[in-house]
Amino acid sequence: MRWRDSLVPVRMQRVALVASAGTLRGMLVRVAEAGVVDFGDTGAGSDVRTTGAAALSVDEQDATTLRQSGRADLIAGEQQLRSLSDAAVRHGDVAALAGWCPESEIDTLRTGLAALGAAVVDLRPPAGVDPPTRLANRTPARRAFAPLLRIYTTIPYADLDPTIPAGLAYIVMFGMMFGDAGHGLLLVAGALVLRSGRPKRLARWRQLWLFVAGAGIAATGFGVLYGEFFGPTGALPVLWLDPLDQPVRLMVTAIAVGAVLLAISYAMGTANRWREGGLRLALYSSSGIAGATTFLGLGVITAGVLAHEVPVLIAGIAVTGAGLVLSTMGMFAEAGGGSAGVVRSGVGVVDLVMHIGANSISFARLAAFGMTHAALGWLVWQATTAVAGRGGVGIAFAAVIFVLGNAVAFALETLIAGVQALRLEFYELFSRVFVEAGRPFTPWHIPVIETRSASC
């Protein structure tokens, strides 16, 4: 795959599957077995589902015989096939069905159907209908990070695929909040257990091992910087800062990290608006150039105030003004003009500024929860050393406190850091990258069995 193709969803082609009335069933059986055509926008789209409860026989079976033999899977498969057959456009002895197929699969499908006397014809996409989206999750990293996107939305077909950047952003945010080298190494160990596929009940989560490993590595890295190893045990020196001793510095760094991530999300949002509606949409959209310019201007204003530089402050005001003018024009046009447009654009501009400010400050939680994690580690370590100082049995109790305390801190902070990183990803970042949802590519796929198996 070319690197450019990895930045966008898999290319789709609108196709018509054409066959004579006598070969229509055979063609549909072959298509079901191949599982590369999505009929979601046909008249039978709501009746066709990819399911393990359905099957098809190579040869058509009598419905009464299937019921008597209890072959509910074959009955379900025949019902789906019949729905598609009924939705076909017929002209004389020829029937045709339209659907979507990945460009890379068309030649193989065409060769397979040609042997039956059927054909695959390329069509122009219908106006106003976007192709379904299929992501090229062919690498372990893409497969591991893909659930982040699936939980939030289906990427519109025209948009960029942010799977890798989104996964990396999540890992960095999680690591900053979960900064402890000891706890991070436990996550890495858990990732290796997932990768092994044992115990079997965890096997379905195996593809996420790289995601968990990345989070563990990030947490370990920040733990080394913080000097945290199962709390402030002194096993590691502080290489950067102690979260509890330098909270302001950590807070400023967290907001700076958030500003960088917001800038990246604005860049991706601008690219998506351009791909969705051209220069006009990208220029006036609050998640495009207009919003990005406002965000940049507010950042320059902040820098000017902190540095006490009047020229910088004036430049920031000018850039912010340009962004707000573009946003106002876009909102006014979107509302249809008139008094409603004036009200809509006025309220929208105020909301845009407040939204940018709130989103930027929201990243302070990276520092807040990082300090919370450090405070829990400090509390456990203080309790451990206090009991251990009594000697004798106290040392055994200290070991129990240390293990149980770290177990509770690990479980609690894993949940908190995981949820908070997800919240920042969804509300602060994805809200700028996506404005609409796409439709997932759902090919019709049913296992095909030999005729002799139908009566078993």
Side-chain angles (χ1 to χ4, degrees), residues 176 179 221-228 236-254 366-367 370-371 374:
M176 195 168 185
F222 277 101
V224 171
L225 294 175
Y226 297 159
E228 297 278 334
L236 295 175
V238 178
L239 297 183
W240 177 38
L241 60 78
D242 185 323
L244 299 181
D245 288 344
Q246 297 174 286
V248 175
R249 185 179 176 187
L250 183 61
M251 194 77 67
V252 171
T253 302
L366 296 178
M371 288 185 283

Side-chain angles (χ1 to χ4, degrees), residues 353-440:
V353 174
M354 295 181 64
H355 202 58
I356 290 175
N359 289 161
S360 301
I361 297 300
S362 185
F363 282 92
R365 70 187 65 225
L366 296 178
F369 288 104
M371 288 185 283
T372 300
H373 194 147
L376 284 175
W378 178 86
L379 183 63
V380 172
W381 182 241
Q382 290 299 309
T384 299
T385 54
V387 174
R390 300 178 181 179
V393 179
I395 295 177
F397 278 112
V400 172
I401 291 173
F402 183 77
V403 172
L404 291 181
N406 272 283
V408 171
F410 178 86
L412 184 62
E413 288 299 309
T414 300
L415 177 62
I416 291 175
V419 171
Q420 291 301 322
L422 196 65
R423 186 244 179 244
L424 288 170
E425 190 96 61
F426 285 1
Y427 290 97
E428 271 63 51
L429 303 181
F430 284 175
S431 61
R432 288 166 171 79
V433 177
F434 307 112
V435 294
E436 295 180 354
R439 181 175 74 82

Side-chain angles (χ1 to χ4, degrees), residues 9 128-131 133 149 152-160 162 269 272-273 275-277 281 285 287 334 429-440:
V129 177
D130 291 330
T133 300
L149 276 301
Y152 184 78
T153 189
T154 297
I155 300 174
Y157 181 76
D159 286 6
L160 299 175
N272 285 342
R273 301 300 86 76
R275 293 171 61 86
E276 292 165 358
L281 180 60
S285 174
S287 60
E334 184 180 355
L429 303 181
F430 284 175
S431 61
R432 288 166 171 79
V433 177
F434 307 112
V435 294
E436 295 180 354
R439 181 175 74 82

Side-chain angles (χ1 to χ4, degrees), residues 158-160 261-296 326-327 429-435:
D159 286 6
L160 299 175
L261 294 177
L262 285 172
I264 294 173
S265 69
Y266 268 120
M268 297 193 71
T270 299
N272 285 342
R273 301 300 86 76
W274 191 301
R275 293 171 61 86
E276 292 165 358
L279 176 60
R280 182 181 179 85
L281 180 60
L283 184 62
Y284 296 110
S285 174
S286 296
S287 60
I289 295 174
T293 303
T294 305
F295 172 73
L296 175 62
L326 291 174
S327 296
L429 303 181
F430 284 175
S431 61
R432 288 166 171 79
V433 177
F434 307 112
V435 294

